[in-house]
């Protein structure tokens, strides 16, 4: 086959095959039984896509391409193999960033080779075509924002950048919107500028996009990262789509659009689970400087106990619901919690887990963590399913969760978390809250649950407390 | 009516977006993380564009940009699929 035949007939068919594999892959990825196969199918689609891209090029100097592919494969594989399950949110954030910057770089490279190195006379839109010129600028904008936004999210997830607290600049909305318009304007001017003058505008656009990603993410607090990571996931898809417009490849447009949609759906699920709008999350500053509505911050009538006492209650419990939160991930206590659950189950106690949609720092964070500790996923129940069970349950154990079990959300309409769906832990006959101290959760308010008569605090690190409990229950 | 390449692209984009929405609604929360990291790996599809951007051998700036794009996109693709597989392998473990 001549290269022309390959390019115009074989390659498009390979890309179509690849698109179909992506669609099947994502579809199967959304069902527990087929998810692993779905991921493999999508990966096969990617392999076809890269093969198609190499065939499309024909015989060229492959040294750079080969070096890039090999280097990327080694780095990517090392990341994937070495990452701890507790650090999965950071990993996803980082990969989002890489996807975003790659799309921005592809667009920049096209611009550079055609306009700067191609020595185009005329304007940028003469050299690239109007459509392509515009999508080059949009790719750089979206990809750049995704890149630095993801890096800031990564730092926040690691507890750096003021421990993930919101960073609020003065006049930040003014600055952010100003910069967004300035970046768009720079992109617009670049499209219409003469080829030699356009470079400074393209660089301004790139710089503006990178700063914008930082400004958009720093005011958002650590516990809102599930929303931010989902949204950045969506952006990285959008950036890939834009790059598809630049190089005129429908495979990129389709793959990117599907990822963009997936990210948006997850974003929406996270927002609903907090009863907050996306805008409210993105504006940031949640839990900062808000006076606590309805009641003081002071706790009264809090009772606490040690593992011995808790073990005695657990001994007589017929049913136990465990409510994991971010504190479980921080304490790396997933294996200890499984061990306690196994112990209780061997004594005939029914143990299930109640998972709030925003528990942790990423959609599904708790599920991944508990899966690592071999907890069967059938025991992990969603909020809607388990909430009616609490009133028939002997013991609820809250492990490193706070706002998601605060009954004030259902009672006080002036509370910052008013209307947020919560897990009804307070309805259980006894509640144990394992927590380091009485410090407030992300919303910055006190948790009424801690004052309830049926609640006992067990102060300490989740893992140490669990190990204490395991020891006590064994000794019974 | 004749559609130029841009309009065809926009048609494809909008329709693919709907396909994405339809496929992913009702995904169980257990799969939120793997779905996100799997989708994330697919967004590395931009590697197809990156490959074409790094063709010529003498190092020019356009080539260097393409090379960095290949590396970052490949990290995204390979790392994304592998880490998703690692997670899903855990979900698939049988109860003792």
């Amino acid at each position: 086959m001549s290269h022309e035949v390959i390019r115009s007939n074989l390659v498009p068919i390979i890309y179509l095959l690849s698109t179909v594999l992506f669609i099947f892959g994502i579809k199967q990825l959304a069902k527990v039984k087929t998810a692993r196969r779905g991921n493999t199918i999508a990966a096969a689609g990617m392999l076809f896509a890269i093969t198609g891209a190499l065939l499309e090029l024909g015989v060229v100097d492959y040294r750079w391409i080969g070096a890039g592919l090999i280097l990327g494969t080694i780095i990517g594989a090392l990341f994937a193999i070495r990452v701890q399950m507790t650090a999965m949110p950071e990993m996803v954030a980082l990969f989002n960033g890489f996807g975003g910057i790659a799309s921005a770089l592809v667009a920049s490279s096209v611009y550079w080779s055609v306009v700067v190195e191609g020595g185009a006379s005329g304007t940028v839109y003469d050299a690239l075509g109007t459509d392509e010129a515009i999508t080059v600028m949009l790719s750089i904008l979206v990809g750049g924002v995704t890149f630095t936004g993801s890096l800031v999210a990564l730092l926040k997830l690691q507890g750096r950048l003021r421990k993930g607290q919101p960073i609020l600049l003065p006049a930040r909305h003014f600055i952010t919107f100003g910069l967004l318009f300035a970046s768009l304007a720079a992109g617009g001017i670049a499209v219409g500028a003469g080829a030699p003058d356009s470079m400074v505008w393209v660089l301004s656009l790139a710089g503006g996009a990178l700063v914008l990603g930082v400004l958009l993410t720093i005011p958002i607090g650590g516990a809102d990262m599930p929303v931010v990571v989902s949204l950045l996931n969506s952006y990285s898809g959008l950036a890939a789509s834009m790059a598809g417009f630049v190089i005129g490849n429908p495979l990129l447009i389709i793959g990117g659009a599907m990822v963009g949609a997936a990210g948006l759906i997850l974003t929406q699920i996270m927002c609903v689970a907090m009863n907050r709008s996306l805008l409210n999350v993105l504006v940031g500053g949640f839990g900062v400087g808000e006076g606590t509505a309805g009641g003081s911050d002071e706790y009264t009538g809090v009772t606490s106990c040690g593992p011995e006492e808790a073990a005695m209650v657990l001994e007589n419990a017929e049913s136990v619901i465990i409510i994991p939160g971010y504190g479980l991930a921080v304490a790396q206590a997933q294996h200890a919690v499984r061990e306690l659950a196994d112990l209780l189950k061997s004594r005939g106690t029914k143990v299930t887990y109640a998972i709030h949609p925003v528990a942790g720092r990423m959609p599904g964070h708790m599920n991944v963590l508990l899966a690592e500790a071999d907890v069967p996923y059938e025991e992990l129940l969603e909020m809607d399913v388990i909430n009616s069970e609490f009133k028939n349950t002997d013991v609820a154990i809250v492990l490193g969760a706070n706002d998601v079990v605060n009954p004030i959300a259902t009672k006080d309409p002036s509370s910052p978390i008013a209307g947020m769906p919560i897990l009804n832990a307070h309805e259980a006959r006894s509640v144990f809250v394992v927590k380091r101290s009485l410090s407030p959760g992300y919303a910055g308010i006190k948790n009424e649950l801690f004052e309830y008569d049926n609640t006992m605090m067990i102060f300490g690190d989740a893992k140490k407390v669990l190990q204490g409990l395991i020891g006590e229950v064994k000794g019974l | 009516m004749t559609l130029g390449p841009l309009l065809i692209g926009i048609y494809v984009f909008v329709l693919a977006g709907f396909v994405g929405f339809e496929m992913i609604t009702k995904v169980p929360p257990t799969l939120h993380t793997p779905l996100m990291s799997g989708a994330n790996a697919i967004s590395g599809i931009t590697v197809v564009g990156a490959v074409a951007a790094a063709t010529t051998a003498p190092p020019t700036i356009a080539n260097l940009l393409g090379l960095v794009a290949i590396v970052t996109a490949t990290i995204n693709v390979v790392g994304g699929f592998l880490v998703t597989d690692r997670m899903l392998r855990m979900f698939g473990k049988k109860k003792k």
Side-chain angles (χ1 to χ4, degrees):
Chain A
M1 263 190 290
S2 76
H3 183 228
E4 206 33 59
V5 177
I6 292 174
R7 259 177 95 103
S8 52
N9 295 303
L10 182 61
V11 170
I13 291 171
I14 291 176
Y15 285 158
L16 181 61
L17 179 66
S18 175
T19 308
V20 172
L21 290 174
F22 282 160
I23 293 176
F24 270 112
I26 295 184
K27 194 167 168 59
Q28 301 209 342
L29 205 49
K31 292 191 190 78
V32 179
K33 284 197 166 37
T34 57
R36 196 169 171 211
R37 188 174 48 192
N39 185 55
T40 311
I41 291 173
M46 189 62 78
L47 207 58
F48 275 107
I50 295 172
T51 312
L54 292 175
L55 282 175
E56 192 179 353
L57 285 177
V59 182
V60 293
D61 192 323
Y62 286 121
R63 278 177 297 175
W64 284 54
I65 298 171
L69 288 173
I70 291 168
L71 188 62
T73 303
I74 293 171
I75 299 174
L78 282 178
F79 269 128
I81 292 164
R82 306 186 88 170
V83 65
Q84 296 271 321
M85 281 299 143
T86 42
M88 205 49 79
E90 288 92 319
M91 177 99 287
V92 174
L94 184 66
F95 284 167
N96 276 338
F98 281 149
I101 194 67
S103 298
L105 287 169
V106 167
S108 314
S109 175
V110 167
Y111 162 80
W112 219 274
S113 75
V114 176
V115 178
V116 182
E117 286 162 11
S121 47
T123 60
V124 172
Y125 67 80
D126 287 332
L128 284 170
T130 314
D131 306 345
E132 208 176 307
I134 293 172
T135 47
V136 160
M137 304 309 159
L138 287 175
S139 291
I140 295 175
L141 180 65
V142 180
V145 168
T146 309
F147 181 57
T148 48
S150 298
L151 292 186
V152 172
L154 169 71
L155 291 174
K156 289 200 171 229
L157 287 165
Q158 289 178 332
R160 295 189 218 170
L161 281 186
R162 286 184 46 193
K163 297 192 168 165
Q165 293 289 311
I167 297 172
L168 304 175
L169 300 177
R172 62 205 165 92
H173 299 309
F174 180 75
I175 297 173
T176 307
F177 277 100
L179 189 61
L180 176 63
F181 286 121
S183 303
L184 285 170
I189 296 170
V191 170
D197 305 328
S198 62
M199 205 201 296
V200 63
W201 295 109
V202 172
L203 290 174
S204 309
L205 167 66
L210 293 174
V211 177
L212 202 55
V214 175
L215 290 181
L216 285 169
T217 321
I218 53 169
I220 306 174
D224 276 339
M225 284 303 129
V227 179
V228 175
V229 173
S230 309
L231 193 66
L232 288 168
N233 190 31
S234 182
Y235 286 175
S236 75
L238 203 59
S241 248
M242 292 296 159
F245 279 102
V246 172
I247 62 166
N249 188 331
L251 178 58
L252 270 71
I253 300 179
I254 295 169
M258 289 193 301
V259 175
L264 270 187
I265 290 174
L266 288 176
T267 309
Q268 174 68 13
I269 293 172
M270 295 299 113
C271 286
V272 169
M274 296 193 294
N275 192 37
R276 288 167 60 199
S277 67
L278 181 57
L279 186 66
N280 179 282
V281 174
L282 294 184
V283 163
F286 188 71
V288 173
E290 286 175 56
T292 37
S296 72
D297 281 349
E298 296 296 313
Y299 282 96
T300 49
V302 173
T303 47
S304 70
C305 70
E308 327 66 61
E309 219 174 313
M312 280 192 281
V313 178
L314 285 172
E315 185 192 8
N316 298 314
E318 283 176 14
S319 50
V320 172
I321 297 179
I322 296 169
I323 303 168
Y326 182 55
L328 181 85
V330 174
Q332 305 257 7
Q334 67 271 35
H335 296 282
V337 75
R338 205 278 322 267
E339 206 182 319
L340 178 67
D342 282 352
L343 196 58
L344 292 172
K345 277 192 275 183
S346 72
R347 301 173 60 92
T349 311
K350 184 181 169 228
V351 183
T352 47
Y353 298 80
I355 311 293
H356 194 280
V358 292
R361 289 291 187 267
M362 172 178 61
H365 192 180
M366 293 298 121
N367 304 71
V368 171
L369 217 55
L370 292 170
E372 191 201 6
D374 287 336
V375 175
Y377 66 83
E378 296 90 346
E379 291 179 9
L380 272 50
L381 299 175
E382 296 173 41
M383 183 164 59
D384 301 342
V385 176
I386 198 135
N387 254 348
S388 56
E389 298 287 319
F390 280 104
K391 55 182 179 292
N392 304 317
T393 297
D394 294 320
V395 180
I397 306 176
V398 181
L399 283 171
N402 192 344
D403 294 329
V404 297
V405 290
N406 192 346
I408 198 146
T410 57
K411 288 188 196 159
D412 182 353
S414 65
S415 161
I417 59 168
M420 173 169 120
I422 59 157
L423 289 163
N424 298 330
H426 58 279
E427 290 180 356
R429 256 157 241 131
S430 309
V431 182
F432 291 111
V433 178
V434 180
K435 208 172 172 309
R436 286 167 179 277
S437 67
L438 284 174
S439 61
Y442 179 56
I445 53 172
K446 84 167 186 179
N447 193 334
E448 272 196 7
L449 174 70
F450 303 167
E451 292 179 338
Y452 277 39
D453 290 339
N454 57 339
T455 302
M456 295 278 247
M457 305 295 296
I458 310 176
F459 290 112
D461 170 79
K463 195 171 177 180
K464 293 215 177 75
V465 169
L466 284 166
Q467 282 160 349
L469 277 172
I470 292 164
E472 292 293 336
V473 173
K474 272 186 183 158
L476 286 170
Chain B
M1 183 182 77
T2 45
L3 293 178
L6 179 67
L7 274 173
I8 292 176
I10 292 173
Y11 267 65
V12 168
F13 176 77
V14 171
L15 293 177
F18 274 107
V19 171
F21 271 113
E22 285 302 316
M23 284 192 306
I24 295 158
T25 43
K26 291 276 169 197
V27 52
T30 292
L31 289 177
H32 281 170
T33 299
L35 178 72
M36 189 151 79
S37 77
N40 180 233
I42 292 178
S43 75
I45 184 64
T46 201
V47 69
V48 168
V51 164
T55 45
T56 45
T60 62
I61 290 180
N63 272 317
L64 276 172
L65 292 171
L67 179 67
V68 181
I70 292 187
V71 175
T72 47
T74 311
I75 293 174
N76 190 195
V77 167
V78 175
F81 282 126
L82 281 182
V83 89
T84 308
D85 191 65
R86 226 183 108 192
M87 277 188 269
L88 291 170
R89 211 161 49 211
M90 298 182 327
F91 284 126
K93 274 188 213 156
K94 291 278 165 281
K95 279 173 283 180
K96 287 164 220 119

